[in-house]
Amino acid sequence: MALLTDDQKMLRETAASFLAEEGAISKQLRHWRDTGCTDGYGTVLWKQFAELGLTGICIPEDHGGLGLGAVEAALVLEEIGRNLTPSPFLTTAVVAARAIEGTSHAERWYPGILSGESVLALAVDEGRRHAPEQTALAAERHGNGFVLNGAKQFVVHGNSADMVLAVARTSGSPGQREGLTIFAVPNGAAQVESVALADSSKAARLKFDNVELDSDAVVGEVDGGWGPLSRALNAGRAGAAAELVGVAAGASAMTLDYLKQRKQFGKLIGEFQALQHRAAHLYGEIEIGRAAALKAAELLDSGDDKAELLTHVAKAKAASVSKLAVQEGVQMHGGIGMTDEHDIGLFMKREAVLGELFGDAYYHRNRVAELSGY
C-alpha cells in the first residue's frame, strides 16, 4: 500500500473529527436504538455526510460527485467503524453507487445520494449464507417488462430504502453466474418484513409476489447482471473490511484506556505482562488488517487483475481481526464488559453483523483458495 496523499490525509482527518463529534455512540447509535427509530440511523446525519461531500466519494465528477475511489471510501469507513456510527454510507454511497454506475439509473439516483436525500439497498442474499451465484429469485418476461417472484433476506436498510437493487435470475439455474439481472425495485413494490439486527441496525426480508416491473427497471443488460454485481460486491467487501478495521481499532482504544485506569491488587492492570502481550499482539493484527483493507481498495482503484482476490483477503482478515479485538476487549473489561451500560459490548455486536455482510471469513477464505487455484 502506497503512502496516503496529502488530500487523503486531509479527508481522513475531516472524517475522524466529524464522526468523533457528530457520529459518537451516545449521539447516534444509542439514541436511535433507545428511541426505537425504524430507520436505525439519523437522516439529519446522512444529510451532514452530503454537506461534507462524503456521499459523492464514489460518484464520478461528471455526475457532480468527487470522482475519488475505494481508498477514500475506506478512510471514511474506518472512522465510521471506530465510532460505530449508523449510516447508509456503505450500502448507498459505495455499494449501490458502484452497482448503477454507467447506467441510466445513475442519472436518476446520483442526485439524491449526493444530497443525502436518497437511500438505496442491495438485495442479493436468499439463504443462510452469502452465495450470490445461488440466486433463485425468478424474473420472467411479461409484456414489455418482467414479473418477479421469490424472496430476499438480510437486506440492510431494505425496510426504508427509496429503491432496492434486487438481483434476480432471468435465465439459467441457481449456481450459475450467467443469467443474473439486477432490477431497480421502487419502495413499496415488494412485501417488507422489517427486522432489527444484533447491533440494532435495521434490515428487511423482502417477498416478491408477482411484482411487475417495466423494462426500464433493468440495471445494465438483461442476463448481464454479474458484471455490475461483482463491481458492487468488490466495493462492498473492501469497504466492509475497512469498517471492520475501524471497529477493531475503536474497541482496542477503549480497552487500552481501561487498562490504564483499572487497578487490581494495588496495580494498574495494564502493568501485568500477560495483558501487555495480548495488547501488543492485537495492535499488530489490526495493522495487518488495515494494510490488507487499504491494499484491496488501492487495487480496485487501479483496476488491477488481483483486485477481487485482495477484497476477499481483506474481508477475511479484517473480520478475524475485528472478532479478536472485541473478544479481547470484553474479556479485559471483565464483568462490566457484558453490561449494556458500557460501550465495549456494542463493538462486539457490530462486529457480529458486519462480519457476515457480503460473506463471513470462511466464505472469503474459500474464495481466496479458489481464485489462487487450490
Side-chain angles (χ1 to χ4, degrees):
M1 171 64 201
L3 296 176
L4 297 179
T5 65
D6 289 340
D7 287 344
Q8 289 169 339
K9 291 177 182 177
M10 186 178 300
L11 172 63
R12 180 177 61 184
E13 292 169 0
T14 298
S17 176
F18 165 63
L19 290 165
E21 175 62 29
E22 298 298 328
I25 293 174
S26 59
K27 185 176 287 188
Q28 297 296 332
L29 176 56
R30 285 191 178 275
H31 173 73
W32 299 118
R33 183 198 68 172
D34 295 344
T35 56
C37 175
T38 56
D39 293 332
Y41 63 89
T43 55
V44 172
L45 182 71
W46 183 227
K47 291 181 179 179
Q48 288 178 299
F49 269 79
E51 291 168 2
L52 287 174
L54 301 180
T55 58
I57 284 177
C58 294
I59 294 178
E61 289 183 279
D62 57 4
H63 282 276
L66 297 180
L68 299 176
V71 171
E72 288 79 10
L75 297 176
V76 175
L77 282 160
E78 182 171 338
E79 298 307 319
I80 287 175
R82 191 188 307 274
N83 294 282
L84 300 184
T85 306
S87 82
F89 181 81
L90 177 59
T91 54
T92 297
V94 177
V95 176
R98 288 302 191 199
I100 63 177
E101 185 177 310
T103 73
S104 60
H105 296 278
E107 300 282 350
R108 166 67 179 85
W109 293 104
Y110 276 171
I113 296 174
L114 288 168
S115 65
E117 298 285 345
S118 298
V119 171
L120 279 60
L122 176 67
V124 60
D125 292 324
E126 299 177 9
R128 295 177 59 189
R129 299 292 182 183
H130 179 66
E133 297 94 340
Q134 296 298 326
T135 293
L137 173 66
E140 298 182 352
R141 288 190 179 276
H142 180 73
N144 192 40
F146 293 83
V147 174
L148 275 59
N149 282 284
K152 296 288 184 180
Q153 64 177 354
F154 196 35
V155 183
V156 179
H157 300 132
N159 63 316
S160 57
D162 299 286
M163 186 268 281
V164 172
L165 293 167
V167 182
R169 185 162 294 283
T170 42
S171 67
S173 58
Q176 299 177 333
R177 293 182 175 182
E178 298 78 13
L180 296 180
T181 304
I182 300 178
F183 291 88
V185 182
N187 183 297
Q191 299 176 36
V192 179
E193 178 189 352
S194 182
V195 293
L197 303 178
D199 63 347
S200 300
S201 62
K202 298 297 189 293
R205 295 188 182 94
L206 303 180
K207 182 179 180 181
F208 298 82
D209 186 7
N210 291 321
V211 173
E212 296 186 12
L213 300 172
D214 59 34
S215 59
D216 291 338
V218 174
V219 177
E221 301 293 333
V222 175
D223 289 343
W226 186 258
L229 176 61
S230 181
R231 183 172 63 235
L233 290 178
N234 282 337
R237 289 189 287 262
E243 187 173 342
L244 281 163
V245 170
V247 171
S252 176
M254 185 172 292
T255 302
L256 289 175
D257 186 60
Y258 184 73
L259 295 182
K260 296 174 183 178
Q261 297 180 32
R262 173 66 170 156
K263 285 188 175 183
Q264 192 72 34
F265 306 114
K267 295 178 62 176
L268 291 171
I269 60 175
E271 296 178 24
F272 294 111
Q273 195 172 54
L275 296 186
Q276 291 176 354
H277 287 172
R278 289 166 64 179
H281 171 67
L282 177 57
Y283 173 81
E285 288 294 296
I286 292 174
E287 288 301 307
I288 295 171
R290 178 178 291 116
L294 288 175
K295 186 62 176 180
E298 181 184 32
L299 293 186
L300 283 177
D301 288 339
S302 65
D304 194 284
D305 291 341
K306 294 184 178 179
E308 181 179 351
L309 172 63
L310 262 293
T311 64
H312 291 295
V313 170
K315 182 60 163 61
K317 183 60 181 178
S320 298
V321 168
S322 188
K323 178 171 287 188
L324 174 64
V326 299
Q327 288 178 341
E328 290 284 62
V330 171
Q331 289 177 16
M332 291 188 193
H333 275 81
I336 194 174
M338 298 301 295
T339 65
D340 183 67
E341 286 77 7
H342 202 286
D343 289 342
I344 191 66
L346 300 177
F347 284 88
M348 180 171 61
K349 293 176 180 179
R350 180 57 181 157
E351 177 277 323
V353 172
L354 191 56
E356 294 287 334
L357 186 62
F358 308 124
D360 61 14
Y362 299 103
Y363 170 84
H364 294 293
R365 288 169 186 164
N366 286 335
R367 289 294 294 140
V368 169
E370 292 170 359
L371 292 173
S372 301
Y374 292 102

